[in-house]
Amino acid sequence: MSAKTGIPKVVVIGAGTIGCAITYYLAKIGADVTLVERNTIGSGNTSLAASLLTKIRSKPEIIPLVQETYRAISEIEQDIGTSLDLQQVGSLHVAASEASVSALNELMSIANDFGIDHAELTRLEMEKMVPWLKTDEILKASFMHGDAFMDAYVLANAFVVAAKKHGATVLQTTNVEELIVKGGEVKGIKTKTEDIASDFVVDAAGAWSNLLAKQAGIGLPMAPVRSNYWITSPNTKLFPRNQPIVILPDASAYTRPDAGALLFGLRESRSIHFDPRNLPEDLTGYVFGNPEDCWNILVEQSAGFKRFFPDLEEMEIQHYIAGVSTYTPDGMFVLGGVPGTGGFLAATGCSGAGVAVSGGMGRIISELVVGETTFCETEPFDIDRFGNIDPFAASFMQRCADARSVKKSG
């Protein structure tokens, strides 16, 4: 921190949606912030995200972070004078078992607590809203009016444009070779061409976060876990562009519209994890697992989905997208500092919600940097909440993968 100005100097590593959001919030409060990305803005898993911005969550601690992202999107649109094309189609939460009805009732109660607008729908209303949806087995459904999705790549780049307006420095195609660690504190980074000193280094490197953290003797309780979704051929009669996001916990599935087609995600019964040491620096063209998994997973996991979408059998599948999300064993985030290690902050372990909570993460990190009280409770996201763990142990990484497999909400 400059002795003359008192302005904190911060390096943010990783230009996914979260890293870009952090850079924006830091720049906005006047920090001397540099964003470092070894490839280009939003080129990693951000470009592969389904990008659901559902506000209602079974874990209420997450909701304020999502709400902050919506606020940030509106603010940035005003700041840069450009629409970010937020698709505010709402979300339909469907329950077809007593357990799911109970969970939906709890979600609706949480929605009431946070003032989130919702309404219970009849079968006729559901069928009109979602033409492909077979409603015979549905016991209850609730429509959340304000939910949306958007292109995560667009959001990441918008955060950067706004951050640069506020004075941020952005270094693309610049690899962080090493953290500078002195006396148990992180003092900056080394790149191929220069050393950059800082008061704080923020590790927002996504799937590769632990490769950096271990240089400071830190194990982040998260692991890269495969995520999958498919996109059908266009059919505007079945898939109107304004149809809502649909959350189907009884099928471990979700859907959203995609330019006249249907994007749908299915969660594997046993998700697979990846050792970050074996991941390439650039995910372009990388095959996550067996090349035949695209069809194997679809065959194995689609039975429950076809209860609600029987026409799936007849659908042409045009695209299969696989990526990695960073999951923790409890499905909560990894956010903040580590006792005993100064100058290091982490923002990762997004557990499938990275785009939705990016604004909230950005705000919290900026508040931690300047020593302010955070706008919401952060204890559930503490890095050391699992004690001393080895994030590279296969057994621990599988615990993280299992958290994705049991996830029911969007």
Side-chain angles (χ1 to χ4, degrees):
M1 188 175 295
S2 168
K4 291 183 178 180
T5 65
I7 296 172
K9 188 171 184 180
V10 188
V11 171
V12 180
I13 305 171
T17 316
I18 292 170
C20 294
I22 292 167
T23 304
Y24 167 67
Y25 276 83
L26 286 167
K28 194 172 62 163
I29 64 171
D32 179 357
V33 56
T34 300
L35 174 63
V36 184
E37 166 57 46
R38 66 184 172 197
N39 295 309
T40 56
I41 305 301
S43 62
N45 205 59
T46 287
S47 63
L48 306 174
S51 306
L52 309 185
L53 276 67
T54 48
K55 295 175 184 174
I56 185 63
R57 303 277 169 162
S58 59
K59 297 179 172 68
E61 300 90 344
I62 296 174
I63 295 173
L65 282 73
V66 181
Q67 292 175 321
E68 177 63 18
T69 301
Y70 274 90
R71 194 200 63 76
I73 290 169
S74 178
E75 179 180 83
I76 289 171
E77 287 180 329
Q78 294 294 317
D79 199 6
I80 67 177
T82 302
S83 169
L84 301 188
D85 200 26
L86 183 70
Q87 301 293 306
Q88 208 149 9
V89 295
S91 66
L92 180 64
H93 294 248
V94 171
S97 67
E98 292 302 327
S100 292
V101 169
S102 178
L104 181 54
N105 286 335
E106 180 62 23
L107 277 182
M108 294 168 70
S109 176
I110 293 170
N112 290 336
D113 291 342
F114 282 87
I116 296 172
D117 191 21
H118 63 92
E120 193 170 342
L121 298 189
T122 66
R123 283 183 179 161
L124 185 60
E125 289 170 324
M126 283 186 279
E127 290 165 359
K128 184 176 180 180
M129 189 178 285
V130 186
W132 58 264
L133 183 64
K134 185 173 182 286
T135 63
D136 300 27
E137 298 181 46
I138 295 174
L139 303 177
K140 190 167 189 172
S142 181
F143 181 64
M144 308 293 176
H145 295 272
D147 283 352
F149 68 92
M150 70 177 302
D151 187 328
Y153 179 84
V154 170
L155 181 58
N157 278 273
F159 274 129
V160 167
V161 170
K164 291 168 86 170
K165 280 190 66 175
H166 289 281
T169 299
V170 179
L171 303 178
Q172 299 186 70
T173 64
T174 302
N175 190 49
V176 175
E177 304 282 341
E178 186 181 340
L179 298 184
I180 300 171
V181 183
K182 296 179 180 178
E185 293 195 1
V186 178
K187 297 290 190 178
I189 64 168
K190 290 179 179 288
T191 72
K192 189 173 183 179
T193 58
E194 64 177 324
D195 291 1
I196 303 175
S198 66
D199 302 298
F200 292 94
V201 169
V202 182
D203 184 352
W208 301 270
S209 295
N210 264 310
L211 301 183
L212 293 167
K214 74 173 182 177
Q215 297 178 29
I218 297 166
L220 303 176
M222 45 72 68
V225 177
R226 182 169 65 184
S227 58
N228 311 272
Y229 63 82
W230 295 258
I231 303 174
T232 70
S233 58
N235 185 323
T236 53
K237 183 178 179 181
L238 276 181
F239 314 130
R241 290 174 180 264
N242 64 343
Q243 70 174 290
I245 297 162
V246 180
I247 309 297
L248 295 158
D250 294 287
S252 294
Y254 65 86
T255 76
R256 72 159 173 81
D258 189 87
L262 187 73
L263 181 155
F264 63 93
L266 303 174
R267 295 188 181 93
E268 300 172 66
S269 58
R270 186 166 174 81
S271 297
I272 64 171
H273 58 79
F274 295 86
D275 189 320
R277 295 171 295 189
N278 299 329
L279 288 174
E281 292 186 354
D282 185 347
L283 295 179
T284 304
Y286 183 71
V287 178
F288 292 92
N290 187 321
E292 296 299 315
D293 282 352
C294 164
W295 304 112
N296 294 338
I297 299 167
L298 190 56
V299 169
E300 292 168 8
Q301 301 299 130
S302 64
F305 186 38
K306 285 187 284 190
R307 290 170 54 199
F308 305 97
F309 183 24
D311 288 340
L312 178 63
E313 291 277 12
E314 312 302 322
M315 286 290 112
E316 178 187 353
I317 304 298
Q318 289 200 336
H319 302 285
Y320 167 65
I321 311 296
V324 282
S325 295
T326 55
Y327 271 80
T328 63
D330 60 3
M332 300 295 260
F333 316 132
V334 178
L335 186 60
V338 180
T341 303
F344 179 88
L345 296 167
T348 185
C350 63
S351 298
V355 179
V357 301
S358 56
M361 280 193 168
R363 180 174 172 181
I364 287 170
I365 292 294
S366 71
E367 290 165 344
L368 291 174
V369 163
V370 296
E372 291 183 359
T373 301
T374 55
F375 79 99
C376 67
E377 177 59 56
T378 62
E379 185 177 354
F381 316 131
D382 282 353
I383 294 174
D384 60 352
R385 65 187 184 272
F386 296 103
N388 186 24
I389 55 96
D390 176 3
F392 300 102
S395 58
F396 180 81
M397 288 191 283
Q398 189 58 53
R399 285 175 63 192
C400 297
D402 291 343
R404 174 174 170 78
S405 296
V406 300
K407 185 179 178 182
K408 296 294 185 183
S409 64

